[in-house]
Amino acid sequence: MATRHDTAAPPVKEGGAAPARASADAAPTEAEQRHRARLSRRWQRDIRWSPYAFVSPFFLLFLAFGLFPLIYTGWASLHQVELTAPTDMEWVGLRNYTRIFDDDFFWNAAKNTLTIGIIATVPQLLMAMGLAHILNYKLRASTFYRVAMLAPYATSIAAASLVFVLLFGRDYGMINWALHQVGIGAVDWQNDKWPSQFAVSSIIIWRWTGYNALIYLAAMQAIPQDLYESAALDGASRWRQFLHVTLPALRPTILFTVVVSTIGASQVFGEPLLFDANKGASGGAEHQFQTLGLYLYEQGWVNQHLGRASAIAWTMFLILILVGIVNYVISRRLRASS
Amino acid sequence: MTTTLTPPADSADNAADAAKAPRRSRRPRSARAGGTLHGGPIAYAILILFTLGSLFPLVWTAIAASRDNNRLAQTPPPFWFGSNLFRNLDVAWTDANLGEAFFNTTFVAGVSAAAVVIMSTIAGFAFAKLRFRGRGALMLIVIGTMMVPPQLSVIPLYMMVAKLDWTDQLQAVILPSLVSAFGVFFMRQYLIQALPDELIEAARVDGASSWRVVWHIVFPAARPAMAVLGMLTFVQTWNDFLWPFLVLTQTGNPTVQVAVAGLGRGYTPDQSLIMAGALLGTLPLLLVFAIFGKQIVGGIMQGAVKG
């Protein structure tokens, strides 16, 4: 690395790196001492403040696009604000909250978000765990499986949802055709409550299972081999090894994926929006698969009540914090018990 | 929450282990569990099944895009390609204004990937290698922000954009995507391991300023992780739906996702055209995956968190 000697800080005590012209004189001139002192001060400032300079772009942008909106949403949720005139705010206190809590569609959306979240997350993480376990074997072409399983991750919500709408079509869809071949009658994936929720969930499962499998695989590969060997010498079967070595070692990773998936599931929006044959934001004719994210959009952008939409957003946030606390408590209990 | 980086795929270790252990080991069979055990036929069957499940919807998109609309409204659904692919792609391209959408999306995703990579690298370096007051608390904030749902910020952002008269403008999409807590975290994890402290100290002794250390030492050392983070950010921004959908009206200045979604929301939908649009919207990223798949997989596994 090239060093520009004019900006380099000469060590004060040892004369070694001092500039060549000064080496003739035993005592540095007054000007040089001032020069050195200045460099030394600049050096100190650099060491002290540059870390803050390095992290400040992130935090400035975060303040503008993360923290400020978070707080402002809370403020807006206490006002009546319409989409047509977003700067006209009229204080209404908690009325937005009481109104959405009185709204059956809110509770319906909350329930749907929960059930779709469970249908999408639980099988997804279980399958990801199984896949990771298999991928952890020595396999031919293991990179190929990993990349292929990650291909859905490269597909957008928009494209994936449109394809699944066709696959789940009632009359000409591939899935009903396959069911027909094995003697099961047509399922109305669009209009029946549970089938439609399953269909929406399947889009999420399809896109994220491979991704989560890779995360589990990474954690599994970090488990020391000798743990397995000593467990085996103690006579543990492979299943017991999985239960007593793999799972405990993976607990933090599992917790992480559960938290991330929960956050993702609480925000499901594009899938139910595009899965709707009526092209609306109601999540099906009977709101049978309207999620909170979709309900927020309907209140804010279709019905144009931004204040109420803000109240929904903050309610979602509070629910997530609650989920986070519950997760934390559970994980502490688990850690304490083991 | 303590975090550690998973070591790079330890298949080499496993191979060494396997080589050490004779094929007929006297240890119980189960002693060779974990990474050293070879997959049996069942393992392969399950993997192939999942691979097919992953790829089938994508392949079928192409099949449906190569048919005409009437053929899609029949049973059994088509299992092989028809002859309309290029005509459908052409019509979808024009109808959805995909040319402009591609340009927009590439621009948005490119700018945001570049910004995220640079900012995350220097911030990640500071968190990984520099001592400063408040480091722990600030890092906690970074991790905490990964948990804040984007929907919370959508409404004020929309108000800001509306006030600035930026609806339908690309900067409305770009600005919020410039910042990534995950990126900072990812680069920090990488640099802790990949950047020896001695290298920084040596540069310091030579009198390099912090910025010179970043430019001449951190950036070169971080290059592999920067490439992975750049690709991940590009994929994510390319696929982003909620925010572009809200700020870009569907005729104004669409991104690919908004344009593709718009195809599906016409009143007399032509399914084969929709599939052609979906295919066009997915193809560029699938190409990226086909080329850089291995690196992306490695990157995701490297970013995997152990709390």
Side-chain angles (χ1 to χ4, degrees), chain A residues 52 73 138 140 156 221, chain B residues 10 37 44 133 152 210 257:
Chain A
Y52 297 104
T73 307
K138 276 194 99 54
R140 275 169 212 282
S156 67
Q221 293 191 338
Chain B
D10 58 358
L37 201 80
Y44 280 103
R133 229 172 222 280
L152 260 178
S210 298
Q257 305 318 324

Side-chain angles (χ1 to χ4, degrees), chain A residues 40-251:
Chain A
S40 162
R41 271 199 307 276
R42 197 197 288 170
W43 176 259
Q44 289 300 327
R45 267 205 308 272
D46 179 34
I47 293 289
R48 180 139 184 222
W49 295 110
S50 65
Y52 297 104
F54 292 157
V55 299
S56 58
F58 170 82
F59 280 101
L60 286 179
L61 280 171
F62 167 68
L63 278 181
F65 300 113
L67 194 63
F68 164 72
L70 178 75
I71 293 162
Y72 196 87
T73 307
W75 180 243
S77 74
L78 303 174
H79 292 76
Q80 183 177 337
V81 199
E82 299 302 312
L83 183 75
T84 43
T87 43
D88 284 347
M89 296 172 63
E90 189 194 330
W91 176 266
V92 292
L94 291 174
R95 207 175 72 201
N96 283 323
Y97 289 92
T98 54
R99 279 195 71 158
I100 58 167
F101 290 155
D102 282 341
D103 186 350
D104 287 343
F105 292 126
F106 170 79
W107 293 107
N108 172 60
K111 259 186 273 175
N112 289 344
T113 308
L114 183 71
T115 49
I116 289 177
I118 291 172
I119 302 173
T121 308
V122 175
Q124 181 195 139
L125 294 183
L126 288 177
M127 284 193 298
M129 178 70 73
L131 279 175
H133 186 71
I134 294 175
L135 283 169
N136 204 18
Y137 289 153
K138 276 194 99 54
L139 293 162
R140 275 169 212 282
S142 60
T143 308
F144 168 75
Y145 306 119
R146 294 177 196 185
V147 174
M149 259 167 223
L150 204 57
Y153 167 79
T155 313
S156 67
I157 286 177
S161 303
L162 295 175
V163 178
F164 276 72
V165 166
L166 262 186
L167 291 176
F168 278 111
R170 189 190 61 189
D171 296 323
Y172 308 107
M174 174 86 66
I175 289 167
N176 270 353
W177 175 82
L179 288 179
H180 179 74
Q181 300 305 304
V182 293
I184 300 173
V187 178
D188 194 345
W189 298 103
Q190 182 64 241
N191 293 316
D192 289 350
K193 181 170 175 166
W194 291 110
S196 66
Q197 294 203 358
F198 175 81
V200 170
S201 304
S202 68
I203 309 172
I204 304 167
I205 296 174
W206 179 71
R207 283 188 71 217
W208 292 101
T209 301
Y211 181 86
N212 281 308
L214 288 184
I215 293 194
Y216 287 144
L217 177 61
M220 282 181 189
Q221 293 191 338
I223 303 174
Q225 282 298 306
D226 21 330
L227 283 182
Y228 288 103
E229 297 189 359
S230 56
L233 288 176
D234 288 345
S237 68
R238 308 214 53 225
W239 173 242
R240 291 191 74 85
Q241 286 177 33
F242 181 78
L243 281 187
H244 296 289
V245 179
T246 310
L247 275 188
L250 245 49
R251 198 180 288 146

Side-chain angles (χ1 to χ4, degrees), chain B residues 168-184:
Chain B
D168 278 349
Q169 307 286 312
L170 286 184
Q171 62 262 39
V173 183
I174 292 175
L175 275 174
S177 67
L178 290 182
V179 59
S180 160
F182 169 78
V184 175

Side-chain angles (χ1 to χ4, degrees), chain A residues 5-22:
Chain A
H5 288 282
D6 53 341
T7 58
V12 181
K13 297 260 159 74
E14 325 135 40
R21 60 191 147 84

Side-chain angles (χ1 to χ4, degrees), chain A residues 262-284:
Chain A
T262 309
I263 293 172
S266 74
Q267 299 162 16
V268 170
F269 166 73
E271 293 91 347
L273 177 79
L274 295 172
F275 193 76
D276 192 347
N278 302 320
K279 316 298 175 201
S282 59

